[in-house]
Amino acid sequence: MPSALAPATSSAVRTLVFVAPWECSEAVARVPAAPSPRVVLCFVESLAMGARLPWHRQKLVLVLSAMRHFAERLRDAGHVVDYRRAADWATGVAEAACAHGVRRVVATRARDRFVGAEWTRLRDALDVSGIALELREDRGFLDTPERFADWARGRRELRLEWFYRDMRRRHGVLLDEAGAPAGGAWNFDAENRKPWPKGRALPPVWREEPDDVTRRTMARVARWDWCWGDVDGFALPVTRDAALAWLERFAVERLPEFGPYEDAMQTGAPDLLHSTLAPLLNVGLLHPLEVVRRAERAWREGAAPLPSVEGFVRQVVGWREYVRGMYWWLGPDYEDSNALGAERALPRAFWGWAPAGDPLARMACLTDSVRLVHDHGRVHHIPRLMVQANLATLLGVRPRDLNRWFWAAFVDGAHWVTTPNVVGMATWGDGGKLASKPYVATGAYVQRMSDHCRGCAYDPARRHGEGACPMTVLYWDFLARHRERFAAHPRMGMMVRNLDRLSEEEVAAIRADAAALRDAVAWEAPAEPMPVAADALVTTWNVPARGPEDAAGGEAATTATRRTRARRAAP
């Protein structure tokens, strides 16, 4: 442990404040306005969390470097700081509380359900020593689970649109003087569906150059061979000042044209005109209301059109708050929902390790989106929803397996984020509790909204036969497999009627091609449950391993089960 962040014990200390990894600035963290020798600020790198999944390396760099920077900033300001590694957060906080002789511990309520289990154990441990635990509201959101429950209770449908309107009224966002929606409409989504213009250059991928602290963190994480993804390309802000500059740059450079092209996809572009603010919000470098207010100011000053601003505001004050509320409202068993009976494991192609004979390895849209995630830790929401999740749903991948991948592979992934997004929105695993219909489409959608199909080995217009796009084949097979469920569905019924217009012979050919396609896909072994116990210092997961057959381009696929000691990792 570097001496600059060594524990500073004082007999006068009476309160220990746990600063969580999602509270990496004063915008969110509950730190005293002025330093006090009676308050110690505690940061803990959790060994169990570090080994829980094969995390993307850039995700770990973001969290660890942001924690380190904030701790050093607080220490330099005169605060008493205790920065340590421990088996898990609960153990680290309990050890620090005893070491400093405090009378109470203050922490933020759990963001994820498994953290709630840790806080229960922490309370029990502190009770033994006569130390009180106070859980405060999470300042990283505008809503609370209780307020969301009040909104949800008694409603027949819990749709985003109604919650979003309520949030805008409650916080006075994009309203006129009479309290009506600015521009006379709540939603301008119909104006925000253009493909990227042909011949227009791609905007550069933004970079925040790593400082010495971040470079040391990158070197540390690079050695963790159970993790995934490129670490050298890390270029995100890790301090509040840098995050505020990133927000300002988005408001000036990208927000004016964000709306029309927010659904567009282009090869080699992880963001296009998206803000990349989600990971900064999720580690607490920014507060959601300041992000929304900056976007609103751009419209009121005439610097950005209302459809662009409203589309962006809906993502922050609407969708982000909504999925967090749904995460807690729908209960602990929600992540295991599987309404469509999907029983396939995750394809190895999602890790970028499909053998040459795998039909997914030749899909330009999938290979590009996975490469971008590997290199940058992200792609924006349309490649996630309409390429990665769409294909997984059509293949019949278990929602839980896909959820774990999104949680591990994306820098902005958190359990509260990915679970409603994947189980509800992406795979319709919840049977319609969150989204009114499955978000499935043929390759024609990708062709319309991207450049991926130019030069791809597959034809998105072909439903079966040589060269037919897997996405298109699997889409029609999906409708055939679930015909009875969706024949009378108000939003899917038309699609089923389109299926019924095909001849029996063509449907049979589609079904046969879909079965052959699935047989040729290289799949992971079934995923094992992740440990959550306090002493879970050894964790097991299934992650594809490169074998000789991969290097040689062979047909065989292997899956390795790696056992890694958690004491080697600590995000």
Side-chain angles (χ1 to χ4, degrees), residues 188-194 258-264 306-312 314 449:
F188 293 89
D189 194 42
E191 301 181 31
N192 293 345
R193 297 174 180 173
K194 294 181 181 180
F258 165 76
Y261 305 116
E262 67 174 300
D263 287 1
L306 184 57
S308 285
V309 173
E310 187 277 319
F312 175 71
R314 186 170 358 107
M449 296 304 298

Side-chain angles (χ1 to χ4, degrees), residues 11-12 45 64 70 82 127 132 259 323 415 435 471 505 540 555:
S11 59
E45 295 182 3
L64 291 169
F70 190 34
D82 183 316
D127 282 347
V323 297
H415 198 248
M471 201 173 283
E505 292 77 13
T540 302
E555 299 283 336

Side-chain angles (χ1 to χ4, degrees), residues 244-288:
L244 286 169
W246 200 276
L247 168 61
E248 184 64 23
R249 186 178 181 186
F250 167 70
V252 173
E253 297 182 18
R254 290 185 176 179
L255 181 59
E257 291 189 285
F258 165 76
Y261 305 116
E262 67 174 300
D263 287 1
M265 299 177 282
Q266 288 288 287
T267 301
D271 311 313
L272 283 181
L273 298 177
H274 284 255
S275 68
T276 320
L277 294 176
L280 312 186
L281 283 164
N282 290 352
V283 297
L285 295 177
L286 296 171
H287 189 275

Side-chain angles (χ1 to χ4, degrees), residues 94-170:
E95 291 175 347
C98 292
H100 291 280
V102 302
R103 293 184 177 178
R104 68 170 183 156
V105 169
V106 175
T108 297
R109 68 186 300 171
R111 280 201 175 180
D112 303 285
R113 291 190 178 279
F114 65 91
V115 181
E118 283 206 41
W119 282 181
T120 298
R121 291 187 289 100
L122 174 61
R123 188 181 298 277
D124 292 342
L126 295 178
D127 282 347
V128 174
S129 301
I131 302 172
L133 174 62
E134 296 180 13
L135 294 181
R136 306 287 180 83
E137 194 54 60
D138 192 333
R139 296 173 61 192
F141 297 94
L142 304 178
D143 204 19
T144 67
E146 291 76 20
R147 279 199 297 261
F148 186 90
D150 290 341
W151 172 84
R153 196 171 291 112
R155 290 178 179 265
R156 182 179 175 185
E157 293 184 328
L158 304 179
R159 299 297 177 227
L160 165 68
E161 185 64 27
W162 312 119
F163 174 78
Y164 168 56
R165 295 181 185 186
D166 183 70
M167 288 291 288
R168 276 180 55 184
R169 292 190 191 98
R170 192 187 308 167

